[in-house]
Amino acid sequence: MANHNTTIHAHWSSRITFILAATGSAVGLGNIWKFPYITGENGGGAFVLIYLLSVAIIGIPIIMAETMLGRRGQMNPIATMEHLAKEAKVTKLWGYLGWMGVLAGFIILSFYSVIAGKTIAYALKIMTGFLSQLNTDMVEHAVMSLNDSIFALTLWHTVFISVTMYIVARGINEGIEQAVKFLMPGLFLILLILVAYAMTTDSFGTGISFMFNFDLDSVTGTTFLLAMGQAFFTLSLGMGAIMVYGSYLPKDISIGQTALVIAITDTAVAILAGVAIFPIVFANAFEPSMGPDLIFKTLPMAFSHMFAGNLFGLMFFVLLIFAALSSSISLIEPAVSYVVEKYEISRQNACIIAGALTWALGMGTVFSTNIWVDATIFDKTFFEVLEFISANVLLPLGGILMAVFAGWVMTLESTAEEFEVSKESFLFKLWRILVRYVAPAAVTIVLIAGLF
Ligand code: TRP
């Protein structure tokens, strides 16, 4: 393996562990509860097509750009951006792009952890028989009392952050790689079992047609925005997560091919999640509700009316925990690698600091459903403000700037060299066009529309 004279000590031990880690980052809560719902509500098959197009023309070029920046920089996102800016003889201010990513990672992880904590609480409830004979009142009550309980929310948030930081503290090879080698196969297996289970219901066809029915009438401008926004968030783009994973990528691995594998796997998981969820919901004559309600109310009710619902319901929540965990480690790795490399403190200590800060910020999300429920800014709770700033502002902005840096600031020669392709190759030229014009323009539209 190439020996780079930098402060990054580790490299992925193989192509497959990089793919597992990056796919683990991409496959998260966004795939399992958000994608199925927005697909169903926005024209089904038509939405899927627009989404696939967004993945192809925005997602894949930016994954490639982000990975390429990381691998060329060989350091944490902040140092990488400063180094690459120096190499390109432009202002060091590009380092702030790295900072923005670190900040976005903190913010996202702070609320992600509270939601993931709730899925842990649910998994445990299910183990103690929560799903037997569940009715509407009971499920409403369960959600309300969990949201009211500062103690329970804090407890599971603390557990989730601690597990995340424990994995990250063990480092790339002993921590992140080991975790994703276990979590990702587990996730795929559970998902396939749930799909098979959904196939045994009478409403498999109804569920499928809810998702794939080609309804052109419900396609509007908003559909395009939602599809692009989803493609972006679900691929973990724009905050340096993929960049820092790219910095651990050995030189001899093809960035284009791995980007393609990551994008396809992430999309497949999102689609399979819908294929598993909707038949189960329809089998019990429920309406698919949105976001958290779908997961915390509708699905538990549906499972509770089904054969072996306890077992399969539990599997579903374990699936969510796995998906959330493999994403959360990528949200904090940019910050941890920065602290380790900049201040030369141990990874363990860096994790304690980063974990404590994220934990503290996460308490704001804990309070958002109880004592701070009415403390709103622009009608948004603390949690909703964080979600808005990160997903609607920081990530798209980060994505545009990375595309601009890779496409306009870096020279044609240095990018071609990092991709290990000829400047004349067709795919390289295509990537340049997408990353210079198409992706920045499209994401700018998403950014501006998202603000209003
Ligand atoms: N992709 C994850 C999901 O779909 C969320 C996520 C993890 C993320 N890491 C990220 C989003 C980095 C943006 C940037 O749930």
Side-chain angles (χ1 to χ4, degrees):
M1 189 183 308
N3 184 14
H4 309 282
N5 188 15
T6 65
T7 41
I8 291 248
H9 318 288
H11 282 99
W12 302 111
S13 50
S14 64
R15 188 176 105 107
I16 186 76
T17 52
F18 167 69
I19 290 178
L20 287 177
T23 313
S25 168
V27 173
L29 301 173
N31 301 55
I32 300 176
W33 87 39
K34 193 147 178 232
F35 178 81
Y37 175 79
I38 54 176
T39 298
E41 284 302 282
N42 289 281
F47 179 87
V48 174
L49 247 179
I50 300 170
Y51 167 81
L52 290 177
L53 198 70
S54 311
V55 169
I57 66 170
I58 304 172
I60 294 174
I62 300 186
I63 307 181
M64 289 175 64
E66 220 183 304
T67 316
M68 184 270 294
L69 295 178
R71 187 167 74 179
R72 191 151 186 92
Q74 289 288 308
M75 279 173 271
N76 66 79
I78 296 168
T80 283
M81 288 314 302
E82 285 174 353
H83 171 78
L84 295 180
K86 199 167 153 201
E87 189 183 74
K89 301 192 176 61
V90 293
T91 162
K92 237 183 122 179
L93 289 177
W94 280 100
Y96 285 105
L97 176 55
W99 270 109
M100 207 170 78
V102 167
L103 180 72
F106 264 120
I107 296 178
I108 299 176
L109 181 57
S110 79
F111 63 75
Y112 214 74
S113 167
V114 178
I115 304 173
K118 289 189 197 183
T119 64
I120 302 178
Y122 255 65
L124 292 173
K125 261 186 212 288
I126 293 173
M127 285 196 225
T128 53
F130 175 59
L131 293 186
S132 4
Q133 305 305 319
L134 198 59
N135 61 36
T136 325
D137 289 346
M138 287 158 73
V139 82
E140 290 287 342
H141 178 78
V143 169
M144 251 173 44
S145 63
L146 183 58
N147 283 337
D148 273 347
S149 170
I150 295 178
F151 174 76
L153 292 175
T154 306
L155 174 67
W156 300 119
H157 163 51
T158 310
V159 168
F160 187 81
I161 283 281
S162 307
V163 176
T164 302
M165 297 324 302
Y166 174 75
I167 295 171
V168 176
R170 291 174 57 99
I172 305 309
N173 303 114
E174 296 301 312
I176 298 182
E177 276 192 351
Q178 293 302 326
V180 297
K181 271 200 244 171
F182 165 75
L183 293 172
M184 298 315 287
L187 186 150
F188 295 131
L189 181 69
I190 297 177
L191 187 61
L192 291 180
I193 293 176
L194 288 172
V195 169
Y197 181 62
M199 284 172 136
T200 66
T201 63
D202 300 337
S203 42
F204 189 66
T206 324
I208 299 292
S209 62
F210 179 69
M211 263 187 81
F212 295 112
N213 199 7
F214 215 94
D215 180 8
L216 268 183
D217 291 342
S218 52
V219 174
T220 62
T222 323
T223 319
F224 281 86
L225 293 179
L226 283 174
M228 279 195 265
Q230 173 69 11
F232 211 75
F233 184 82
T234 189
L235 292 170
S236 299
L237 296 176
M239 63 139 280
I242 297 297
M243 195 189 290
V244 78
Y245 278 7
S247 74
Y248 305 131
L249 190 64
K251 289 282 179 196
D252 50 4
I253 290 173
S254 156
I255 291 178
Q257 274 174 18
T258 47
L260 203 62
V261 174
I262 295 161
I264 291 173
T265 315
D266 181 68
T267 304
V269 171
I271 290 175
L272 286 176
V275 169
I277 289 173
F278 289 121
I280 295 174
V281 170
F282 288 121
N284 298 281
F286 291 123
E287 283 297 314
S289 51
M290 189 169 141
D293 272 2
L294 177 64
I295 302 301
F296 291 117
K297 293 182 183 166
T298 316
L299 265 179
M301 291 267 285
F303 277 120
S304 110
H305 288 83
M306 293 178 73
F307 164 73
N310 257 307
L311 177 66
F312 291 102
L314 179 61
M315 281 190 176
F316 182 79
F317 280 91
V318 173
L319 174 73
L320 280 171
I321 297 169
F322 281 18
L325 196 54
S326 60
S327 296
S328 66
I329 51 186
S330 76
L331 284 163
I332 203 67
E333 178 60 25
V336 169
S337 62
Y338 171 72
V339 176
V340 169
E341 290 170 14
K342 173 86 182 180
Y343 300 104
E344 297 188 358
I345 65 173
S346 71
R347 208 169 227 280
Q348 283 84 342
N349 288 342
C351 283
I352 292 173
I353 299 168
L357 287 173
T358 318
W359 180 87
L361 187 61
M363 289 310 289
T365 295
V366 165
F367 297 146
S368 293
T369 54
N370 38 68
I371 52 176
W372 286 3
V373 108
D374 297 316
T376 52
I377 311 168
F378 294 117
D379 247 6
K380 289 184 191 315
T381 62
F382 185 82
F383 157 63
E384 288 163 340
V385 170
L386 292 189
E387 194 189 18
F388 182 83
I389 294 177
S390 52
N392 293 2
V393 183
L394 297 176
L395 296 184
L397 194 58
I400 295 168
L401 292 173
M402 284 178 201
V404 167
F405 193 92
W408 294 92
V409 177
M410 283 179 76
T411 59
L412 184 103
E413 286 71 26
S414 56
T415 44
E417 183 189 300
E418 197 56 45
F419 284 128
E420 292 169 320
V421 291
S422 131
K423 289 184 291 195
E424 304 305 322
S425 91
F426 168 74
L427 287 175
F428 178 66
K429 285 185 175 160
L430 178 65
W431 173 80
R432 287 262 302 173
I433 292 172
L434 292 173
V435 93
R436 280 164 73 93
Y437 304 100
V438 182
V443 183
T444 303
I445 297 173
V446 174
L447 177 67
I448 291 172
L451 291 177
F452 299 107

